[in-house]
Amino acid sequence: MIGTGSSSTTRQRKIREQCGSCPNRFSKDKRQVIAEDSDTTEVESSTDEEDRWKEVARAAEIPADYYNIQKLVKYIKAGNQTATIVSLCCLKDYDLSTQINQFAIQDIGGLEVLVNILECSDTKCALGALTVLSEITLNIDIRKTIVDLDGIPLIVDILNSSMKDLKTMAAETLAHVSKVRLARKYVRTCGGIPKLVDLIDIKLSILQTPRDQLNAEDLEYLNMARAGARALWTLADSKHNMEQMRKSGIVPLMARLLKSCHIDVVIPIMGTVQKCSSEPKFQLAITTEGMIADIVTHLSAECIDLKMEGSTAIYKCAFDETTRDLVREAGGLEPLVTIIKDKTVRENKPLLRGATGAIWMCAISDVNVKQLDNMRAVNHLVALLNDEDDEVLTNVTGALSECVRFQSNRETLRQAGGLPLMVALLNSSHAPLLENLAKALKECAEDSDSMRILEELDAVRLIWSLLKNTSPRVQAHAAYAICPCVSNANDSAELVRSLVGAMELVVGLLKSREIMVLSAVCAAIATIAQDQTNLAILTDLRVIYKLADLVNTTDDLLRMNLAAAVAACACFGNNTEELGRLRTVTPIVTYMTSDNPMVHRSTAMALEKLSMDPQNCITMHQSGVVPFLLECIGSTNKELQLAAAGCLRNIRELALRAEEYLLKIDDD
């Protein structure tokens, strides 16, 4: 007899002091375990919604199989070893994927019995119990119940078995149960991850041989690897688990399994690669292990899931230039474009998100954009601008923002009718989408023909309204987009003044705590202030006082745009003298110590304007600006040369006047 007598029907599993793989797993309260793992938030075994779902399912007409299954569970409870094995075999003959049959086992206390069987020494009984559990754990409530019954450590212990089919079924069960967050925690703390990683360590010859040509033993290894890969795929939802997998040596094994000819093995391992590719350490490992070429190969597979996981993995990894080059060299751009132009995949949003995201990241490299142009990628991306999914639109506009850095693509976008679609999307509330729209429209505004269309569509007003968005990144990119819009508008000065409260909004953002917002707003102010009437309004809004508050910065981007704003605002009224009084001169002089030549250019322009005031010239001279200006005169940048020379001229003229004044006093 095995330990599954009638007394186990009404009792919960007793708390034991320890088990083989997790010595302390029963000595901690479950809430304590949850508190120790940020990835674990599920405590209750079911929610109110799930309870209602179960009641609806039970309310249906109960079939005869329901009672037959419960009879078999009773035999398992009360029978001897032989009766238990026979009952388990009979139980497997029923369709355990249906809800009512799963309820039949659960209602009579069958889950407790099946979990108890996992402790017995008889491998046939354990295999039968795992076979049943692997099927019924498709039900989310049953998964949680298995966790509540402390079944995870028992299943993990079975991974130590020498029987391949037993380990396979244990891994299959873990693949389902680990969809519960707390289960993922228990698998890790019980040492299950290294054991699962061991399951996928099989010979490359087995992976590359068709299934019908494998002998029985190799087939067992292949099934075991597939089950292990599926379990790891589920476990990879936890960052802690991903790190444990990496330490257990999963990376080279993933690279090996990606070369498999067996799709049912490649899909879960590709899914694991995709999830792990969100971590920087894995991103580097995926590149160095040569997985990119194999991922690209699977982009042309017939399996939709494989394409989805592969394209998403590239999306996550291709922020790195080396990875982008590898994708191009492996021929990955063409299948990605093929996916997005295939109208049959429009309803498959995960695949569409992955493919458009991968194209976006790859388009960051100029050489990739040129190759994408040969495939008419811009036209295919424009066709997706009417999609209803915000993430797809975000990726599409992100890809377009990279492509339209080139004038030829601005023309292509305009001719394909992309501008009206993009302007219409400015009414969206999805911050990442708005950010990419601002970036794309900024580039389009550099083209005069595109700018005429944007003016007709009232796009400038919509872009300006993005400054009110709560996202700092949207604010920053909107401010940058305003610059070419104002510069290239037919009547830029009147355009700005026609927008009620526009300049107040811009000046108000100088109170932001985000460096990127401050930098972008300074660039916008430098552009708006080119018109004297606008500059007068900005001065009335006390813009120079807000600019003066920012001068003590070490950020080069802010320094560059802030100096440009100061240069644009200094030449109105008594702003030059007032900026000197606000002690902005010395901090701006320190900008010349930057290594960025663009900072030198805008700083020299600001110093030239400030040097119109004699007192500022004295301050500059005392701050040691002359050696820097002399060095700038030797620059190849003409604007920098002229600004530096102008500033030196003003300082020299002041010195000459002072010298003449002293000589006159001496003569008197």
Side-chain angles (χ1 to χ4, degrees):
M1 294 288 288
I2 60 175
T4 57
S6 59
S7 61
S8 64
T9 305
T10 57
R11 67 175 177 87
Q12 291 288 330
R13 294 185 57 77
K14 292 183 179 179
I15 297 181
R16 293 168 295 278
E17 290 300 320
Q18 58 179 200
C19 75
S21 60
C22 184
N24 299 316
R25 78 179 164 93
F26 296 107
S27 62
K28 292 186 179 181
D29 180 71
K30 184 181 292 183
R31 293 182 181 178
Q32 181 182 351
V33 173
I34 295 166
E36 292 174 359
D37 190 352
S38 60
D39 288 341
T40 303
T41 58
E42 297 185 48
V43 183
E44 303 297 332
S45 53
S46 64
T47 63
D48 293 339
E49 184 178 350
E50 289 159 5
D51 289 337
R52 288 195 296 271
W53 167 71
K54 288 192 293 182
E55 292 302 322
V56 171
R58 294 172 197 272
E61 184 178 351
I62 299 177
D65 285 353
Y66 178 91
Y67 300 105
N68 293 335
I69 288 172
Q70 290 198 334
K71 288 180 182 178
L72 289 173
V73 174
K74 289 180 181 179
Y75 290 143
I76 295 173
K77 289 181 181 181
N80 57 23
Q81 186 171 344
T82 303
T84 298
I85 295 173
V86 172
S87 299
L88 286 170
C89 291
C90 293
L91 198 58
K92 290 189 292 182
D93 292 336
Y94 289 91
D95 184 5
L96 299 180
S97 62
T98 59
Q99 294 172 358
I100 194 65
N101 290 347
Q102 294 165 357
F103 291 149
I105 296 174
Q106 188 176 18
D107 291 348
I108 201 172
L111 296 180
E112 292 89 335
V113 177
L114 292 170
V115 172
N116 276 338
I117 291 175
L118 298 180
E119 290 186 284
C120 74
S121 58
D122 188 280
T123 55
K124 292 182 180 179
C125 289
L127 181 60
L130 280 173
T131 304
V132 174
L133 285 172
S134 67
E135 292 192 46
I136 63 176
T137 46
L138 294 170
N139 183 312
I140 185 172
D141 189 59
I142 290 179
R143 294 174 198 153
K144 294 179 178 180
T145 304
I146 298 298
V147 176
D148 293 340
L149 293 171
D150 297 320
I152 299 297
L154 298 176
I155 300 173
V156 170
D157 276 344
I158 292 174
L159 294 175
N160 294 320
S161 171
S162 59
M163 293 182 61
K164 299 181 187 66
D165 52 353
L166 198 58
K167 290 193 286 188
T168 299
M169 293 314 303
E172 289 281 1
T173 306
L174 287 176
H176 295 153
V177 180
S178 294
K179 292 178 181 177
V180 178
R181 293 183 181 179
L182 189 55
R184 295 195 288 270
K185 162 76 175 181
Y186 283 148
V187 172
R188 184 178 73 254
T189 56
C190 293
I193 291 177
K195 297 173 185 176
L196 289 169
V197 171
D198 286 341
L199 297 187
I200 66 173
D201 187 6
I202 64 172
K203 297 177 181 178
L204 184 60
S205 58
I206 298 176
L207 294 169
Q208 295 182 334
T209 303
R211 191 177 291 272
D212 55 4
Q213 297 179 19
L214 293 173
N215 58 41
E217 184 180 6
D218 289 344
L219 199 57
E220 285 184 342
Y221 277 115
L222 183 63
N223 292 333
M224 189 172 66
R226 181 192 61 194
R230 292 185 60 198
L232 291 167
W233 186 10
T234 307
L235 290 166
D237 282 326
S238 163
K239 289 185 178 180
H240 299 288
N241 288 351
M242 282 192 277
E243 180 60 17
Q244 186 66 45
M245 290 177 195
R246 189 184 66 82
K247 292 180 178 178
S248 300
I250 194 175
V251 174
L253 298 179
M254 290 194 302
R256 185 191 302 172
L257 264 64
L258 284 177
K259 299 180 185 298
S260 174
C261 64
H262 305 286
I263 298 299
D264 56 348
V265 175
V266 177
I267 290 175
I269 210 65
M270 183 73 84
T272 308
V273 171
Q274 181 265 118
K275 289 180 180 178
C276 291
S277 60
S278 60
E279 295 298 304
K281 291 180 180 178
F282 268 101
Q283 290 165 354
L284 178 62
I286 288 170
T287 302
T288 54
E289 285 289 338
M291 289 189 228
I292 297 298
D294 292 316
I295 294 174
V296 167
T297 300
H298 293 299
L299 290 177
S300 301
E302 295 182 2
C303 178
I304 297 296
D305 289 338
L306 205 51
K307 290 181 179 179
M308 179 188 71
E309 300 294 350
S311 59
T312 306
I314 292 175
Y315 175 23
K316 292 180 178 180
C317 293
F319 76 95
D320 177 68
E321 184 178 359
T322 303
T323 305
R324 295 194 293 270
D325 291 341
L326 289 173
V327 172
R328 183 186 68 256
E329 291 165 3
L333 297 178
E334 186 173 355
L336 289 172
V337 173
T338 301
I339 291 172
I340 68 168
K341 71 179 183 182
D342 185 358
K343 294 182 179 180
T344 61
V345 304
R346 294 293 172 85
E347 297 304 316
N348 190 331
K349 300 307 177 186
L351 174 57
L352 209 53
R353 290 184 205 120
T356 52
I359 291 173
W360 174 18
M361 290 295 105
C362 289
I364 295 174
S365 295
D366 293 354
V367 64
N368 285 350
V369 173
K370 293 178 181 179
Q371 190 165 334
L372 288 169
D373 290 346
N374 296 331
M375 305 171 197
R376 303 182 71 247
V378 171
N379 297 81
H380 300 308
L381 289 167
V382 169
L384 293 173
L385 284 173
N386 56 6
D387 198 273
E388 65 278 5
D389 187 271
D390 283 341
E391 290 187 40
V392 171
L393 291 171
T394 299
N395 295 344
V396 169
T397 51
L400 287 172
S401 71
E402 297 297 338
C403 291
V404 295
R405 290 182 291 115
F406 299 89
Q407 176 61 26
S408 59
N409 285 331
R410 294 171 190 159
E411 296 172 1
T412 303
L413 177 67
R414 185 181 68 249
Q415 293 167 1
L419 289 175
L421 295 172
M422 293 173 71
V423 172
L425 291 173
L426 287 171
N427 294 307
S428 170
S429 59
H430 189 57
L433 171 58
L434 294 174
E435 178 186 338
N436 286 344
L437 280 169
K439 289 165 62 179
L441 291 174
K442 169 185 176 293
E443 298 295 341
C444 291
E446 300 286 356
D447 174 52
S448 57
D449 292 333
S450 297
M451 188 60 215
R452 299 294 80 77
I453 296 175
L454 292 177
E455 286 185 275
E456 292 173 7
L457 296 169
D458 198 20
V460 180
R461 179 182 59 82
L462 293 172
I463 293 172
W464 215 296
S465 68
L466 295 182
L467 296 176
K468 299 178 183 178
N469 196 280
T470 55
S471 168
R473 296 189 63 84
V474 174
Q475 292 174 347
H477 287 290
Y480 280 127
I482 287 170
C483 298
C485 288
V486 172
S487 298
N488 300 321
N490 277 331
D491 188 353
S492 59
E494 185 58 35
L495 172 66
V496 175
R497 290 193 291 275
S498 68
L499 301 174
V500 179
M503 283 186 272
E504 290 88 338
L505 183 57
V506 171
V507 173
L509 283 176
L510 289 174
K511 296 179 181 179
S512 174
R513 295 183 178 181
E514 298 289 336
I515 293 291
M516 65 183 303
V517 174
L518 294 173
S519 176
V521 171
C522 285
I525 289 172
T527 305
I528 296 168
Q530 298 300 317
D531 176 76
Q532 287 298 302
T533 305
N534 288 344
L535 178 53
I537 297 172
L538 289 172
T539 301
D540 290 342
L541 293 171
R542 300 176 64 83
V543 69
I544 62 170
Y545 294 93
K546 293 181 173 63
L547 293 175
D549 290 338
L550 302 175
V551 292
N552 293 302
T553 179
T554 57
D555 184 85
D556 273 357
L557 188 59
L558 178 54
R559 282 177 166 183
M560 179 180 72
N561 291 326
L562 176 57
V566 169
C569 296
C571 56
F572 181 83
N574 66 340
N575 285 354
T576 302
E577 294 85 348
E578 193 64 17
L579 285 166
R581 190 187 65 79
L582 293 171
R583 298 181 179 180
T584 61
V585 176
T586 300
I588 292 177
V589 169
T590 63
Y591 296 179
M592 299 299 287
T593 60
S594 170
D595 294 329
N596 189 334
M598 298 303 293
V599 176
H600 296 165
R601 184 183 69 85
S602 59
T603 302
M605 294 170 65
L607 292 175
E608 182 189 16
K609 302 296 184 184
L610 291 172
S611 65
M612 297 296 183
D613 177 64
Q615 186 57 48
N616 289 346
C617 284
I618 295 170
T619 306
M620 289 179 199
H621 191 276
Q622 291 174 343
S623 301
V625 75
V626 173
F628 293 108
L629 294 174
L630 289 171
E631 185 177 348
C632 289
I633 289 177
S635 170
T636 56
N637 187 304
K638 290 187 177 181
E639 288 183 322
L640 176 56
Q641 283 181 336
L642 291 172
C647 186
L648 283 172
R649 180 195 60 206
N650 292 335
I651 294 172
R652 182 57 183 158
E653 284 182 356
L654 177 63
L656 287 173
R657 287 198 299 269
E659 190 175 332
E660 289 174 0
Y661 177 74
L662 291 174
L663 288 173
K664 185 177 180 181
I665 291 176
D666 290 341
D667 290 342
D668 293 342

